[in-house]
Amino acid sequence: MAVAGPAGPAGDALFEQAACGLLVTDADGLIIRANATFCAWLGFAAGELAGARRLQDLYTVGGRVFNQTHLTPLLQMQGSVAEVAVDLMHRDGHTLPVLLNIVRKPGEGTFLHHVSVVIVADRKKYERELLNTRAQLRELNETLSQADRNKDEFLATLAHELRNPLAPMQNVLQVLAQMNLGDPKVNWCREVLARQVAQMTHLVDDLLEVSRITEGKLELQFARVDLTEATQAAVEGARPLIQSAEHELTVTSPGLPIWLNADPTRVVQIIQNLLNNAAKYTPRGGKIHLSTETDGDSAVIRVRDNGIGIPATHLTRIFEKFSQVESARSRSQGGLGIGLSLVRALVDLHGGAVAAQSDGLGKGSEFTVRLPVAREPAPGAAPARREATEAPRKILVVDDSQDIVDSMAMLLTLRGHELCTANSGAAALEAAAKFRPEVIVLDIGLPDMDGYEVARRLRGEPWGAQIVLVALTGWGQKQDKEAAAAAGFDHHLTKPLGPNTLADILK
């Protein structure tokens, strides 16, 4: 149906760029055409209203919807209706007062089109109000952004502070593991503590990873990864939680390796988080199945359980931060609602996809991860893996936490090393000059001078150039590692240390 108006490109340009809003509707008020000026007033793109909205959808009169009851009498009037005061409804919900003209176009006794001319009643007032509204929105957005940044900083600080008490606990557990305790009850207590410290460490790591990803500071370290080896490492990490709940875990994988070009640590983290999630939300004695396979150019990882399931309404939100199924809260074993959001973020960083499926509450869940496969490496013998064997070393341990110093000294002494300790930067420099250690395990946050300054001074001594400097800290982000390297550290470790972390350095 042709639209009345000047013909040709010039006429179209005049219609589109007119200073007033111009509309053409059919007899039912459906918008056939709206010029760019009118669309911009209401926050729409040019051409977006045509065929999609009716005139009565866009106006109010005295705060009421401008419906067909209001519109019909105006459209039935002869000629034109001048200066009817109405309010345009902007896309974001606020209103714009205008004066409306409706021109009726006759054609063979019937009215084929209705041309509406819209003029803003007080354009300057409207522009002032619009600018004020935009300023308020910017201010609100900045307030929300700052609150979000404060939250991320809090999470990072919390993770750091929790690492400090975890460090001596982990050290003591390693000491107990090397002792012949005899009493089965004491051994049981040690195993319980070991499981809970491992779970606490995992939660702290998740907090820190979420903070890094949110701030865009997490960088992947890509390498060739055998998915079978990553799966085995993830199973070992999740085994304490699975065994404590008496779950039955089955693992299936193809006979041939599946190679990924990925960050090996993050792949293990993805699988372990899915296993931990299954273990936490499956009633005691449940069944968990982990499988890996290839599908075209994708490696497919599936974790299935017969746990509490996920309602359909929650499936679209299960990967959001701090999201938990309401009925699962009483069953959660220390979950923060960030494990699955971390899985999605890490999978996205690898160019993969993750999905959840469940038939509903009480019917179990299945999580599927797809990651791009890499070409298989050239055939050849795999390099032999060497076990870490520690030669006796002279080691100086420096930390302002006496529990960390004492527990680490006890652990390293049991392993045959000669130990010296200090609790401040000045004491560390003095002890190093007298003891002449081969290795120094040095905390960064010391009371008198930070560990970076201590490292720089040690490297400035003739006898300090060959010392192996190990930074031990609760801060583990990229900038912390870069600062440690710049100060002269050879290694940067985060608290708490794993059982073989120092052994790998001391071998």
Side-chain angles (χ1 to χ4, degrees), residues 49 72 134 153 199 214 232 234 289 305 363 453 467 473:
L49 293 173
T72 301
R134 288 175 176 171
E153 291 174 4
Q199 178 65 4
T214 302
Q232 292 171 348
H289 182 234
D305 63 65
K363 297 183 178 180
E453 179 61 24
I467 295 176
T473 174

Side-chain angles (χ1 to χ4, degrees), residues 1-17:
M1 184 180 298
V3 177
D12 288 341
L14 180 62
F15 181 89
E16 289 295 331
Q17 304 303 327

Side-chain angles (χ1 to χ4, degrees), residues 331-355:
R331 297 180 182 268
S332 172
Q333 301 177 27
L336 298 175
I338 59 178
L340 292 179
S341 70
L342 184 56
V343 166
R344 182 178 65 177
L346 292 175
V347 169
D348 287 346
L349 288 173
H350 281 86
V354 60

Side-chain angles (χ1 to χ4, degrees), residues 293-463:
E293 60 181 351
T294 56
D295 181 14
D297 294 332
S298 296
V300 183
I301 305 162
R302 288 190 175 90
V303 176
R304 186 176 69 251
D305 63 65
N306 63 343
I308 64 174
I310 308 169
T313 55
H314 202 78
L315 278 172
T316 58
R317 297 185 288 114
I318 196 69
F319 293 104
E320 296 176 4
K321 276 191 298 188
F322 311 116
S323 175
Q324 289 183 326
V325 178
E326 187 63 33
S327 61
R329 296 184 188 275
S330 61
R331 297 180 182 268
S332 172
Q333 301 177 27
L336 298 175
I338 59 178
L340 292 179
S341 70
L342 184 56
V343 166
R344 182 178 65 177
L346 292 175
V347 169
D348 287 346
L349 288 173
H350 281 86
V354 60
Q357 191 276 330
S358 175
D359 292 332
L361 289 176
K363 297 183 178 180
S365 311
E366 181 175 271
F367 290 86
T368 303
V369 171
R370 291 178 174 270
L371 297 173
V373 296
R375 290 182 300 174
E376 293 187 9
R385 299 184 62 182
R386 295 184 301 171
E387 295 296 327
T389 56
E390 298 176 48
R393 300 287 188 90
K394 295 179 67 175
I395 302 174
L396 171 61
V397 176
V398 186
D399 201 297
D400 58 339
S401 168
Q402 193 62 46
D403 285 342
I404 292 177
V405 167
D406 292 343
S407 59
M408 185 173 291
M410 184 181 296
L411 174 63
L412 294 174
T413 300
L414 285 173
R415 292 179 175 177
H417 301 292
E418 183 180 352
L419 263 294
C420 181
T421 65
N423 298 109
S424 67
L429 293 172
E430 182 179 352
K434 295 178 181 178
F435 184 59
R436 298 296 175 88
E438 300 170 74
V439 179
I440 299 180
V441 181
L442 179 59
D443 186 25
I444 298 300
L446 297 172
D448 51 350
M449 68 181 79
D450 62 36
Y452 302 132
E453 179 61 24
V454 175
R456 284 190 287 267
R457 295 192 186 187
L458 287 169
R459 290 302 191 203
E461 297 291 343
W463 45 265

Side-chain angles (χ1 to χ4, degrees), residues 158-173:
L158 176 64
H160 167 260
E161 293 302 323
L162 289 175
R163 287 180 186 274
N164 281 324
L166 283 171
M169 294 166 66
Q170 184 72 269
N171 292 338
V172 168
L173 286 168

Side-chain angles (χ1 to χ4, degrees), residues 36 41 89 104 140 166 179 185 249 328 377 385 398 418 501:
W41 284 351
M89 294 294 293
R104 198 170 59 159
L140 177 60
L166 283 171
M179 299 176 66
K185 292 182 179 179
L249 172 65
R385 299 184 62 182
V398 186
E418 183 180 352
T501 306

Side-chain angles (χ1 to χ4, degrees), residues 106-143:
E108 298 180 0
T110 61
F111 296 105
L112 300 180
H113 300 93
H114 304 281
V115 180
S116 304
V117 182
V118 184
I119 305 172
V120 177
D122 187 347
R123 183 61 178 269
K124 290 184 178 180
K125 178 182 178 182
Y126 166 69
E127 289 178 347
R128 288 195 302 270
E129 291 178 349
L130 183 60
L131 288 173
N132 184 51
T133 300
R134 288 175 176 171
Q136 291 175 344
L137 288 174
R138 284 195 298 270
E139 182 178 353
L140 177 60
N141 183 62
E142 177 56 32
T143 299

